[in-house]
Amino acid sequence: MVVHEFGHSFGGLGDEYPYGDDDPMYFPDTEPWEPNLTTKHDFSGKWEALVSEGRAGLIEGGGYLSKGVWRGFENCRMRTNEEPEFCLVCRQALTRLIDFYTR
């Protein structure tokens, strides 16, 4: 659980699991600020390069919603604590942040 929470606190990563669709936190006309979630409203600068390279995808379901929010991989530490690692999308976001602070 600590690694998952580290993703939130250090990397600004969003939760990638659905948690009931009755109180949406994300809306189709607003791009989430979290780097590992998208509504596809303004996807540029997130992981679109990984999608075009065939290294990631757009998997629907994330940010507590089953529809309307996408993540890059089927599973990731930000989706379930049983997953041992962050997916490539989350690793990219964490690397960008580390580079920002160290360069």
Side-chain angles (χ1 to χ4, degrees), residues 10-60:
F10 178 77
L13 301 175
D15 285 318
E16 296 184 355
Y17 52 82
Y19 193 73
D21 292 321
D22 30 322
D23 188 17
M25 290 183 56
Y26 302 95
F27 302 95
D29 63 345
T30 306
E31 185 65 22
W33 65 271
E34 296 93 338
N36 62 321
L37 299 175
T38 186
T39 57
K40 299 196 280 187
H41 179 74
D42 184 11
F43 185 52
S44 64
K46 289 200 171 184
W47 70 93
E48 75 277 1
L50 296 175
V51 172
S52 30
E53 295 166 1
R55 298 172 61 202
L58 288 163
I59 312 296
E60 194 166 26

Side-chain angles (χ1 to χ4, degrees), residues 55-71:
R55 298 172 61 202
L58 288 163
I59 312 296
E60 194 166 26
Y64 312 119
L65 300 173
S66 60
K67 301 280 184 202
V69 178
W70 288 262
R71 62 191 190 278

